[in-house]
Amino acid sequence: MSKFKKKKSGELPPVSTAALPDIVFMLLFFFMTVTTFKKDDYKVAQDFPYADQVQKLDKNDPIIYIYAGKPHERYQKEVGAQAKIQLNDKFANVDEIKDYWFNTLNNDVGQEFRYVAITALKVDGETNMGLVADIKQQLREINALKINYTTRKGEASQNYK
């Protein structure tokens, strides 16, 4: 006469889900730390000229980017094939540079960095210098005199094809 009887049913015990939230949060934190976000969607060509005296900017420097170049093929029906200026993710006119520069300075960089902020011009190698001169003139008018040209490292003679 036994006091304990074994159940002889064929059921499996339920799967424990107690560790599931821990696993989900661990994966969430992993992907949050590993993922990088693309800052801008380039709508203009980005074939930079070569230069032999190149310096890298420090990632801690306050940088304001201005893109210029021939629009990609998918945008040429809208804006034409002439070189354009891109500010953030939209095409812009030369006279919009001042407002963009101050808005970026106030929102992203900080007003205290006004005199040390670097304006990085990412200009396609095929862009005419008239557009670049217009951009520089607008920057001169707001006293944004620290300008950096983005290039590729190589011999300057590679620019002549």
Side-chain angles (χ1 to χ4, degrees), residues 23-37:
I23 295 169
V24 169
F25 283 116
M26 186 171 48
L27 286 172
L28 177 71
F29 287 128
F30 172 76
F31 286 115
M32 283 174 51
T33 56
V34 173
T35 304
T36 58
F37 294 102

Side-chain angles (χ1 to χ4, degrees), residues 113-148:
F113 294 110
R114 176 168 189 208
Y115 297 106
V116 296
I118 299 170
T119 305
L121 299 179
K122 291 191 168 193
V123 181
D124 182 53
E126 299 295 319
T127 304
N128 71 24
M129 279 305 291
L131 182 62
V132 176
D134 292 343
I135 294 170
K136 287 172 55 177
Q137 182 61 36
Q138 292 292 316
L139 294 172
R140 234 180 260 130
E141 289 176 12
I142 58 173
N143 205 23
L145 303 177
K146 289 191 174 192
I147 298 175
N148 174 296

